[in-house]
Amino acid sequence: MGDNERVNTETVNQPPSLTIALLARVQEAIRASGGWLPFDRFMAMALYEPGLGYYANQTPKFGHLPQGEDGQGSDFVTAPELTPIFGHTLARQVGQALQDTGTDEVWEFGAGSGALALQILDALAATGQRPSRYTIVDLSGSLRERQAATLAAHTGVVAWADALPEALSGVVLGNEVLDAMPVQLLNRVEGQWFERGLALDADQCLQWAERRTDLRPPLDIEGPQDYLTEIHPQAEAFVRTLAERLQRGAAFFIDYGFPEAEYFHPQRHMGTLICHRGHKTDNEPLRDLGLKDITAHVNFTGVALAAQDAGMDVLGYTSQGRFLINCGLVDVAKDAGPRENAMMQKLLNEHEMGELFKVLAFAPPDSTADWTPMGFSAGDRTHRL
């Protein structure tokens, strides 16, 4: 370690698990990179290393119940798993976007269990609007198997892809996708900025280590306090690439996060990085490699600017609760029973998902001339980005 490097001497001993091999690969990567691995590279391995990373292995992930001793259960629940009302309502926006942009395909990134795709396809089929193709872009082979089983009724329509094509048209969806893209960690200590990464101690255990850096958050952080935060170059690069290749249609991203001024607020001095396992959260990403989700909240201003830089128009930005109400959730749920109504409230309530989750949409300029997405018809917050 050089003079411009800091080491947190707290080490993390990995417990025996099916992911011992993942730890070995991380250790190998640290050695190969000269003894220090930036956090975004570690996060990519922890989540997506083939066969071992959290989203690349066979452990259950999505559902209502936590993991049990038998290995069954799940780590977290997303809106489509809460209630089909979510997907049936979002389908109204998808249907409008397909019609008004003159496209006939849907692309979904990170489709999880396939629940959202099923809800949207069922709802569109019921109104005679089922697209000619529904393509899922997902890196997880184990999740693809589950998606295929879930979507068996739509076999002739659903397809899978490993990567973006050079050009595409249609409606693009991403529900809780951006938060799982690797982030870089920046730490201001006594006025100096460091990038946080990983090193190995004398026993080859993982430990935090930091290097001086010229990287900075997009906003100056007021005050002299120490300040840990994230920057999102990979998510912004993904959106920029998508925007460059989207020829016609619209893209809708739903995730938890904030506009830039809130994301880098002086009081948010510990950042937003968090881990999910067994429906509990922790702030220890170096433990239990491959057995927990690692996420960070989304900087929606950065995402919107990346889309604009690639020539897109921002169609709207608002809370999930407002978006779903604008899309007719109340009408969709009019015949719902008590349980579904209770789940619906989780989607809408400010202290649940209704305010923390936001919706951002963008489209090529020639796709926006004659229509406004129904989801932003009231309560649009684009001016806050």
Side-chain angles (χ1 to χ4, degrees):
M1 295 287 174
D3 293 338
N4 289 330
E5 296 169 347
R6 301 173 64 252
V7 174
N8 181 334
T9 57
E10 177 185 0
T11 59
V12 179
N13 295 301
Q14 298 293 327
S17 74
L18 59 86
T19 58
I20 287 293
L22 180 54
L23 173 60
R25 291 194 190 181
V26 172
Q27 292 168 328
E28 180 181 354
I30 292 172
R31 298 185 195 102
S33 61
W36 184 82
L37 189 72
F39 182 80
D40 59 333
R41 286 185 57 194
F42 162 77
M43 184 172 171
M45 295 183 73
L47 296 181
Y48 303 111
E49 185 74 7
L52 299 174
Y54 179 76
Y55 284 109
N57 62 43
Q58 298 289 331
T59 59
K61 295 161 180 65
F62 308 94
H64 287 272
L65 299 177
Q67 293 277 7
E69 294 182 359
D70 59 358
Q72 301 301 308
S74 62
D75 292 319
F76 55 87
V77 62
T78 62
E81 275 84 29
L82 276 178
T83 170
I85 291 174
F86 178 79
H88 294 165
T89 303
L90 181 57
R92 292 190 168 197
Q93 177 63 89
V94 174
Q96 183 208 16
L98 289 169
Q99 179 176 343
D100 289 355
T101 63
T103 57
D104 194 34
E105 293 189 37
V106 176
W107 293 75
E108 184 183 355
F109 287 86
S113 66
L116 180 59
L118 179 63
Q119 292 159 18
I120 289 174
L121 285 167
D122 283 349
L124 292 178
T127 60
Q129 292 182 290
R130 193 171 78 162
S132 63
R133 185 172 296 275
Y134 192 111
T135 302
I136 293 172
V137 184
D138 208 313
L139 301 178
S140 173
S142 61
L143 287 178
R144 283 192 189 191
E145 295 173 5
R146 183 173 176 182
Q147 292 159 8
T150 300
L151 296 165
H154 299 281
T155 300
V157 173
V158 179
W160 282 265
D162 294 314
L164 276 172
E166 290 302 312
L168 72 154
S169 295
V171 175
V172 176
L173 300 174
N175 182 56
E176 295 197 48
V177 171
L178 298 176
D179 67 83
M181 294 188 177
V183 297
Q184 290 175 274
L185 298 183
L186 301 183
N187 194 21
R188 185 178 70 184
V189 180
E190 297 180 351
Q192 296 184 336
W193 283 99
F194 298 83
E195 181 177 4
R196 179 166 288 187
L198 280 72
L200 299 174
D201 70 0
D203 296 320
Q204 301 302 295
C205 295
L206 301 182
Q207 66 178 9
W208 291 113
E210 299 179 340
R211 289 186 171 183
R212 288 284 298 275
T213 182
D214 293 328
L215 295 171
R216 297 291 185 273
L219 296 180
D220 290 334
I221 309 301
E222 297 179 5
Q225 73 275 18
D226 292 351
Y227 195 92
L228 177 65
T229 191
E230 310 90 23
I231 56 174
H232 305 74
Q234 291 200 31
E236 291 166 11
F238 161 75
V239 168
R240 195 174 293 112
T241 300
L242 171 62
E244 290 169 350
R245 300 184 185 187
L246 183 61
Q247 303 298 303
R248 188 165 185 82
F252 296 84
F253 286 94
I254 306 169
D255 225 312
Y256 42 88
F258 313 100
E260 197 166 77
E262 294 179 33
Y263 199 104
F264 299 104
H265 192 281
Q267 294 180 352
R268 202 180 303 283
H269 63 95
M270 294 303 294
T272 71
L273 192 77
I274 196 166
C275 304
H276 298 267
R277 186 182 183 189
H279 292 258
K280 297 180 180 179
T281 61
D282 67 68
N283 60 356
E284 298 181 297
L286 308 192
R287 294 186 183 275
D288 303 325
L289 296 188
L291 297 178
K292 62 171 69 172
D293 191 19
I294 306 172
T295 77
H297 287 49
V298 177
N299 171 13
F300 279 102
T301 302
V303 172
L305 289 173
Q308 286 186 327
D309 289 345
M312 294 290 105
D313 287 343
V314 173
L315 298 178
Y317 166 73
T318 193
S319 67
Q320 175 180 285
R322 171 53 62 183
F323 181 86
L324 293 174
I325 289 173
N326 289 342
C327 290
L329 178 142
V330 175
D331 183 53
V332 171
K334 63 184 178 181
D335 297 323
R339 180 195 176 280
E340 292 303 314
N341 278 319
M343 295 300 102
M344 179 181 69
Q345 294 305 315
K346 291 181 177 291
L347 300 177
L348 299 179
N349 286 342
E350 290 189 0
H351 65 282
E352 297 274 2
M353 301 173 69
E355 178 59 31
L356 178 60
F357 280 70
K358 312 295 194 309
V359 186
L360 175 71
F362 56 84
D366 60 356
S367 293
T368 65
D370 300 321
W371 73 293
T372 299
M374 64 174 66
F376 307 107
S377 59
D380 181 44
R381 303 180 184 179
T382 303
H383 61 284
R384 299 189 188 179
L385 287 171

